[in-house]
Each structure stands twice: as C-alpha cells, then as structure tokens.
Amino acid sequence: MKTGKFDGEQTEYRRGNFGFAHEWLQEFKTLDEVLQRLHALRAADPAHRYLCTLDDVSQCSYTSGHASQDERLYLDDPEDMDWEDPAQEQALTLASLQHRVAQLQRPELVQDWAQVCGTLLLAAEDVDALLLANRSPEVLLDEVVYVQRLPVPSDELMIAGQPNGYFSVDWDSFQNHAVIRHLAAQYGYRFFGMGAAWMGFVRASLPDAALVERLIEDLRRLYGQGRPELCEHQGWSQLASALLSRRTLMLGYAESLAEGLGLEPPCASAMES
C-alpha cells in the first residue's frame, strides 16, 4: 500500500474540506489493509483519533463542506480574520472543530436511535446494497482514501471532523451521530470511516450469533420502520450470515444506495428488454 502526507505544498492531493487531513492511502486491495493502517496510526498516537474516507472522496468533501454550514454546527468567522495568515486559518479550523464537538453534545440538539428509525426512505434494492457493501466492503473504497488526524475526545465525536448528510433526504450529522453512538454502546462497533453515502464501523472481535440477531432486528427498525416490505426483505437474513464472518459493519446514510453501487432494481432489465 502506498501512503503520502498532507504536510506541504508538494502533496499529491488537495485537502479539500478535510481540514485535518493527515495522510492519503493508495494501492490497497482490501478494507482490512486500510484498517491495519488506521490501527497503526492510533497505536503510535493515542492522543488523536483517526478517521478515513470511504466512497467518493470528492463528493464527500463537497457535501461535508456544506454539512459543516448547518446553522447548528457553523462557527462564524472572526470579523478581523486575515485569510492570508496560515496560523489564523489553522486556529479557525481547530475552533470550528471544537465548536462542532460541543454542538453535537448539546442536550437540546442530540437525537437518539428511536428518532432516526424510519427516517431514511430506502427501496428494496437498497437492502441488497447493504448486503453487497458488507459482503465486499472494498466496493465502497475510492482509489484514494484520506485519513484525518483529529483532536477529539472519543471515536463517536470524529464525525465533528467530517460532518455529512447535506441533502434533505439524507440523515444529517446529528442523526448520523445517534447511529454512531448506538452501535458503539449496544454492539461494540467503533466508528472509523465516513464517505459520501456510507459510514464504516469495526469491532475488536467477531460478533457472535446472539449479538448479530439483535443487531439485524435493530437495523430492520432503523431502515424499515413503518415499511413492512423492507422489514421482510430476505436480504436481512443474508446480511446476518455475512456479519458473522466480519468485524466490520457498513451502513448507508443517503438515498439511492443501490444506484451508487451500480445495482439496478429487479424490474429494470425486464423493462428495458
């Protein structure tokens, strides 16, 4: 795997809206390789948290920039800001991160799992996308993965460094944060990655059958509450089998997950023929 640093003007890639971009990864074959790199970074630097990108780095940067302007998260620029001074820009980047961390924890803004359940309108083929993404998570990785080095107090708050959920049909940053907290508290899945439409989680060990059974029931409610056709989709049992052999869990937070992975609705081919 090839790596490079965001440490000067000669870097091969632009930071975009990833204000704490630390290094980029390339020429990897599996998600496990990316996770091994994140683990090594965490072990060598326990004072920081490391968050990686997943699907579509460019789109992720674009939507994260807009999601950061949510009035609940945005910190106004100082009136006397000198945009030609790198030190002032760095200070503002840090202050903005700290502001988002604080806002995500304000009791009147915090959402919980129950509030999020049933709020993302998925189709049956999107359950197939969830299955594909968890069977073969490499399909979510862009050719280049950005890794951010974040001075935040917990893994759950890494989302403050890369808020997302810009479009009205997506889960927003507070809804995503609710999902992140619930998966950590109830199932031991630690947040590690954020893409343009997907979030990544990893456990320290493989889940057992009882935990996966509980998790699948929770995911049915999360994505299918009020929609029996989604709750009864056969993909959920297949997803349970897939999760038993992996420490990772990949969840979408945007609409049209199937389209993003190139999956057509079952009737599409028949309609075209």
Side-chain angles (χ1 to χ4, degrees):
M1 182 168 61
K2 183 179 179 181
T3 67
K5 298 288 187 181
F6 289 95
D7 57 0
E9 295 181 0
Q10 302 306 313
T11 185
E12 190 169 339
Y13 297 100
R14 297 178 59 187
R15 289 178 181 269
N17 288 311
F18 306 112
F20 291 85
H22 175 68
E23 71 174 34
W24 49 264
L25 313 177
Q26 202 173 29
E27 298 179 9
F28 44 80
K29 294 182 179 179
T30 67
L31 176 61
D32 288 340
E33 290 180 71
V34 174
L35 289 172
Q36 289 169 8
R37 180 58 184 164
L38 292 177
H39 177 76
L41 290 168
R42 287 166 57 89
D45 180 22
H48 292 86
R49 312 279 171 166
Y50 287 85
L51 177 69
C52 77
T53 58
L54 298 172
D55 53 296
D56 200 338
V57 171
S58 295
Q59 178 71 0
C60 184
S61 173
Y62 172 79
T63 52
S64 183
H66 283 287
S68 300
Q69 296 175 348
D70 183 319
E71 63 181 9
R72 297 168 295 176
L73 295 174
Y74 186 68
L75 179 66
D76 290 333
D77 300 336
E79 292 183 2
D80 59 349
M81 179 74 183
D82 180 358
W83 294 100
E84 301 299 321
D85 183 352
Q88 288 192 41
E89 283 200 56
Q90 291 175 7
L92 178 58
T93 298
L94 178 58
S96 295
L97 173 68
Q98 294 170 337
H99 177 72
R100 293 193 294 269
V101 166
Q103 291 293 97
L104 285 166
Q105 298 178 92
R106 284 181 59 182
E108 66 270 29
L109 296 178
V110 169
Q111 294 199 35
D112 61 30
W113 178 269
Q115 289 175 286
V116 182
C117 287
T119 57
L120 190 66
L121 297 180
L122 298 188
E125 59 267 22
D126 294 317
V127 180
D128 295 326
L130 287 168
L131 178 59
L132 173 60
N134 282 282
R135 280 177 169 170
S136 304
E138 290 74 28
V139 302
L140 298 183
L141 296 178
D142 210 336
E143 292 183 359
V144 178
V145 166
Y146 282 27
V147 178
Q148 292 205 82
R149 180 176 182 261
L150 295 166
V152 295
S154 68
D155 293 321
E156 291 89 344
L157 286 168
M158 288 196 296
I159 192 173
Q162 197 173 315
N164 226 316
Y166 162 58
F167 298 109
S168 61
V169 291
D170 300 342
W171 287 334
D172 63 27
S173 296
F174 292 88
Q175 292 170 308
N176 283 333
H177 189 219
V179 172
I180 290 167
R181 296 195 322 273
H182 184 82
L183 292 174
Q186 299 297 319
Y187 302 102
Y189 280 99
R190 179 177 59 79
F191 178 52
F192 77 84
M194 190 80 180
W198 294 83
M199 295 185 286
F201 305 85
V202 62
R203 280 175 47 86
S205 60
L206 289 175
D208 61 29
L211 184 144
V212 168
E213 183 178 358
R214 287 195 299 113
L215 173 61
I216 292 298
E217 287 307 306
D218 250 358
L219 294 180
R220 286 178 191 263
R221 287 191 292 271
L222 179 66
Y223 288 110
Q225 182 169 285
R227 304 187 66 194
E229 73 279 8
L230 286 185
C231 288
E232 296 167 7
H233 194 287
Q234 64 180 5
W236 294 116
S237 60
Q238 297 172 356
L239 178 59
S241 298
L243 294 180
L244 285 170
S245 62
R246 291 204 61 93
R247 295 187 301 118
T248 53
L249 172 66
M250 316 304 285
L251 296 182
Y253 67 87
E255 71 169 356
S256 303
L257 299 176
E259 181 180 347
L261 294 185
L263 298 178
E264 294 182 337
C267 62
S269 298
M271 292 175 62
E272 292 171 359
S273 60

